[in-house]
Structure formats: C-alpha cells, structure tokens
Amino acid sequence: MIKKYTRIGNIALGVTVVSLGAVMYATANNLMSEDARLPLIAVYVISFWTMFWAYAKAKGRSGALGIVLPFFNVIGLVILLCLKDLSNLPPDWACEKCKGKNPALDSTCRYCSAPQPS
Ligand SMILES: [Zn+2]
C-alpha cells in the first residue's frame, strides 16, 4: 500500500462517516430543511468518491477504478478490498537488445523475446 494515498483514504473515510452521520441525524430529528442539508450531502458524496479513489491508488491501481466502483456501493467496496496490491511490484525493465519497456513480471522481452538481464 502506498502510504500517501492510504492517508488520504483514511481522512476521506472519516469525513464520509461523520457527514453521513450528520445527514442521518439531521433527517431523523428534522433539524434542517432539505435545502440546508444539500451541502452536507455534497460533502458526503465527494468524500465517499475520494475514499474509493485514494484506496485504489494506494493499491497501485488506476484512479479510474476508484471512480467506477462507488456506483456498486458495498459490492464495490468488497471488490476494492479483494484486489491484489500492486504497489510493491518491482519497477518495469528495459530490454538491452531493443530498448523495449517490459512489465516486471515478464521474464522475456515482449517485443524481441530476449531474456530479462539479471
Ligand atoms: Zn527486446
């Protein structure tokens, strides 16, 4: 996990929980008018999406994944939690023969089949 994004995700999680609690409390006790609740609901939605984006980035995944998954709500969260952490992979390697860039897990060059230099 990438610490910088994990921290952003944790802060967004806190803001999500507090703003959702405030919206639910205000609704249940009829404390605010519907118009007055809108900014609070906006904070909740933005922090919810930010949380997914940050946790996807922390796992070394595309931030776009964190934009799509919140549409699936709890199922999206379970999918995000089950995804393999790609942030600890070694960096890509460059082929000595053709200078092509290859993913760390490939043992031969994807362009010219030359073996990965050790
Ligand atoms: Zn090559």
Side-chain angles (χ1 to χ4, degrees):
M1 299 279 277
I2 301 169
K3 269 188 182 166
K4 182 180 106 183
Y5 291 113
T6 306
R7 237 183 105 197
I8 295 171
N10 290 343
I11 293 167
L13 173 65
V15 174
T16 301
V17 169
V18 169
S19 57
L20 179 64
V23 168
M24 289 172 74
Y25 183 79
T27 306
N29 296 298
N30 225 1
L31 294 176
M32 298 164 105
S33 70
E34 210 166 292
D35 288 345
R37 262 181 274 157
L38 277 179
L40 212 51
I41 292 169
V43 168
Y44 162 69
V45 170
I46 290 168
S47 59
F48 187 71
W49 251 263
T50 304
M51 175 184 76
F52 271 80
W53 169 82
Y55 284 148
K57 292 291 277 182
K59 281 194 160 187
R61 302 284 177 159
S62 163
L65 193 68
I67 303 300
V68 173
L69 285 178
F71 287 106
F72 302 99
N73 217 306
V74 177
I75 296 167
L77 187 64
V78 170
I79 291 170
L80 186 61
L81 291 174
C82 292
L83 285 176
K84 196 177 155 201
D85 188 359
L86 299 181
S87 64
N88 296 325
L89 286 180
D92 294 349
W93 59 277
C95 176
E96 289 176 333
K97 197 172 158 195
C98 73
K99 307 293 179 214
K101 220 173 168 210
N102 297 287
L105 296 179
D106 288 5
S107 56
T108 57
C109 176
R110 61 166 56 173
Y111 306 103
C112 71
S113 300
Q116 180 179 12
S118 50

